[in-house]
């Protein structure tokens, strides 16, 4: 039976001080990541949905009480109907 093992030197895996980041090893071989394309597609679709959700027609409906621009928005986690928006009218 053949067993493959990784062997790295201790100097390459330890930090020089407590404030340094821990070194990480990434495999950049595309054959090792078969789901990368599907993951990237999912991220692109999510970004497109967020772009449509925060598009100008939606924010344009809030201009009845806002003069300058909408600076923050909040929703209730139990009910999606109430939307609270805040602005800085200067």
């Amino acid at each position: 039976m053949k067993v493959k093992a990784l062997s790295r030197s201790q100097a390459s895996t330890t930090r020089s001080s407590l404030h340094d980041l821990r070194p990480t090893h990434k495999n950049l071989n595309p054959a090792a990541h078969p789901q990368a394309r599907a993951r990237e597609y999912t991220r692109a679709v999510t970004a497109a949905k967020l772009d449509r959700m925060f598009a100008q027609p939606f924010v344009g409906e809030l201009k009845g009480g806002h003069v300058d621009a909408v600076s923050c928005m909040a929703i209730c986690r139990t009910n999606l109907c109430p939307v609270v928006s805040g602005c800085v009218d200067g």
Side-chain angles (χ1 to χ4, degrees):
M1 183 159 86
K2 195 176 208 180
V3 176
K4 293 184 179 181
L6 295 174
S7 61
R8 296 188 175 110
S9 66
Q10 187 176 4
S12 69
T13 57
T14 57
R15 301 185 291 182
S16 60
S17 70
L18 291 175
H19 301 293
D20 287 344
L21 296 175
R22 294 188 186 274
T24 58
H25 304 283
K26 293 182 181 180
N27 187 356
L28 300 177
N29 184 9
H33 304 286
Q35 299 295 323
R37 189 171 185 180
R39 193 177 322 125
E40 188 64 31
Y41 175 77
T42 304
R43 287 180 182 163
V45 168
T46 304
K49 286 180 182 177
L50 288 175
D51 285 345
R52 275 189 272 135
M53 189 171 88
F54 292 113
Q56 182 63 31
F58 176 71
V59 177
E61 293 296 324
L62 299 173
K63 289 191 177 181
H66 300 296
V67 178
D68 189 14
V70 177
S71 62
C72 62
M73 294 178 62
I75 60 169
C76 180
R77 294 200 181 263
T78 58
N79 190 1
L80 292 178
C81 290
V83 176
V84 180
S85 63
C87 69
V88 182
D89 290 336

